[in-house]
Amino acid sequence: MFSRLAAVLVLLAGLLVVAEPQAATAAALGDVVPVPVSVQPASGVTFTLASGATISSDDTSTGDYLAALLRRSTGYALPITSSAGTIALLLSGADPNVGSQGYQLDVTATSVTIRAQTATGLFNGVQTLRQLLPPAIESATVRPGPWTVPGGRIVDYPRFAYRGAMLDVARHFHSVATIKNYIDRIALYKINYLHLHLSDDQGWRIVIDAWPRLATVGGSTQVGGGAGGYYTKAQYQDIVAYAASRQITIVPEIDMPGHTNAALASYAELNCNGTAPPLYTGTDVGFSTLCTTKEVVYTFVSGVLGELAALTPGPYLHLGGDEASATSASQYAAFLNRVQPMITGLGKAVMGWHNIGASGVNASAGRVVQFWGTTTSDSSVTNAVSQGAKVVMSPANKAYLDMKYTSSTTLGQSWAGFIEVQTAYGWNPGAYLSGVASSAILGVEAPLWTETIVTEDNIEFMAFPRLPAIAELGWSPWSTHDWNAFKARLAQQGPRWDVMGIAYYHSPQVSWPVTNRYEAESATLSQAAVATNHTGFSGSGFVDYANVTGSYVQWSVTSPGGATSLKIRYANGTTTNRPMDVFVNGTKVVSATSFNGTGNWDTWATKTLSVTLTAGTNTIRAVATTANGGPNVDYLET
Ligand code: NGO
């Protein structure tokens, strides 16, 4: 073992070296996720947003949205003008190919013009413009710029009409604020539907006036037994309106006849035996069912759907229909044959997990089935399609954001396999299911189930970078599909997420640009020594801790503040987990037990930590927790 036997070297050299951010390379015109349909760069031309710039828009809300976004980080006034602005959003003159969701973007040395046929198209063009500006444009505080955009023309429109994300707010409840943040983030990737899984065995999350105990009892817990929660009608409508302001339609799901323990616990009469079961806080599936032979169940379902439809301007009500293992096949079909017409009768179309395509279940006008299997053929899907249904593709082994990235991902599940970003990107939604023509595919959706997902950071970590991969499959033409090109564009999103405070998974499959690297040997050290006799380190050395519990490396990191990720490169001579505790501004954020043993002193590993930094200078301290055997630290990256 490499040990430092003699005197403890106290190296308080005062080397508080703050790394310089690398100059951000200017984006090329096509460096956008999802990649645009057509990109014609104008070589040598760039537009620079200046303090005197103005904005004009044929659609007031999109103009206001853009101005608010740009004012935050530029600090410029950017007044909205009625005459043509420096940045002009026009509802006329677009290439006719853009259709109802696409846009045309023209960037010259002196102006930026987005043309579209609809406000949705303008909004999508604004998302492209955002990504063509430097990452600092996402800062919540004023930054210096320069605010350049590469010149040329983009003509862009989606491959599929439906590009969705789903958040399960039933297994763990998530606040209105968290949902709004998620909406803001998915909008950047031109996602246009947010499916909310509002009920399950563990919780009922929306107030229904005629059945108040659903929320007050059914909403009173969650997986693990926490307090749970529910949305009032006003809160749900606030979410719907906020989503609409980001051109996103909410698809509410009430899962039935299975996944209903929260409802069954709230109202005894919904159970065949007339007895309410206890609330459930585990993660099993397939054990609950509404009593499909009781008339009161249909009164209940009709009442719930009616109140939900009244709150929901979008075209779909999602009735779940998955894993109804506690319901017989004939009862399942009979139930759905009564419930589907309730939805169409409310002027909505039925959406459900693909199980609702089972034989015996009738066709329903405008029906959409959501494929969540792990196979490439499915008889329920082909049956539904033969009856006229459209399909949203969410294959669990590709598109489920709750699957672990690798076996060492702490969060998530693995029943459908591990999903690294290349796997999430590597499938064709239009040609995935045998016997299902691409014309039957309405689009894609990336569901995030929350059995293990508790915090907003957890959501971000699982969604980024996979959600943008699914978004690109939904938007970009298949002819553009290219992993190497995608991962290069994806890498450029990393600095943007850093500025936005998104705690993303630093997939080793992607060469994320390093923003700042802080070498350990240049940091403040206590009872430690700089060593240079192991291979593979970066800079002029690494720090070999003294064999004293409590010895530390301390970095000084400047930050704009907010949630971010830190990467520590370390090695230890053990196979067990024992290197160091990490403190941010005096608070322990990671305990030594979560650092993997690397097994050897020259076997370097990195660990990414999700942390919240304060604006200004932060102190990051990595403290040895063992008197023997390590660790070695190479650097900290932000
Ligand atoms: C399945 C199941 C959900 C789980 C999820 C976890 C569907 C449609 N039903 O997907 O209840 O939460 O897996 O990955």
Side-chain angles (χ1 to χ4, degrees), residues 168 171 197 200 253 255 259 284-285 322-323 353 355 370 372 396 400 402-403 413 415-416 449-451:
D168 168 10
R171 268 52 178 272
H197 184 74
D200 212 300
E253 177 186 350
D255 204 345
H259 287 279
D284 288 347
V285 294
D322 57 319
E323 297 176 316
W353 299 105
N355 314 72
Q370 184 170 6
W372 64 280
Y400 265 31
D402 59 315
M403 290 301 120
Q413 312 199 64
W415 69 263
W449 301 96
T450 59
E451 284 92 335

Side-chain angles (χ1 to χ4, degrees), residues 251-265:
V251 178
E253 177 186 350
I254 298 295
D255 204 345
M256 59 183 94
H259 287 279
T260 42
N261 191 77
L264 298 168

Side-chain angles (χ1 to χ4, degrees), residues 168 171 283-285 396 400-406 409-419 449-453 462 466:
D168 168 10
R171 268 52 178 272
T283 59
D284 288 347
V285 294
Y400 265 31
L401 300 179
D402 59 315
M403 290 301 120
K404 291 175 185 289
Y405 290 95
T406 70
T409 310
T410 338
L411 293 169
Q413 312 199 64
S414 57
W415 69 263
F418 301 120
I419 307 181
W449 301 96
T450 59
E451 284 92 335
T452 68
I453 307 302
M462 299 308 266
R466 291 182 292 195

Side-chain angles (χ1 to χ4, degrees), residues 51-125:
S51 58
T54 57
I55 295 176
S56 62
S57 181
D58 287 349
D59 175 69
T60 308
S61 63
T62 311
D64 291 346
Y65 168 88
L66 175 63
L69 195 87
L70 300 181
R71 284 173 189 149
R72 280 189 324 166
S73 49
T74 63
Y76 302 161
L78 301 175
I80 307 276
T81 54
S82 49
S83 56
T86 322
I87 302 177
L89 311 185
L90 303 175
L91 286 171
S92 61
D95 183 313
N97 285 323
V98 302
S100 62
Q101 293 189 35
Y103 63 92
Q104 174 180 323
L105 169 69
D106 287 281
V107 180
T108 71
T110 53
S111 67
V112 172
T113 310
I114 299 174
R115 296 181 172 88
Q117 296 177 359
T118 61
T120 306
L122 290 179
F123 185 85
N124 285 327

Side-chain angles (χ1 to χ4, degrees), residues 18 143 498 518 557-564 612-618 638:
V18 177
R143 303 283 282 270
D498 287 334
Y518 303 82
V557 169
T558 49
S559 166
T564 188
T612 301
L613 299 181
T614 54
T617 305
N618 293 264
T638 59

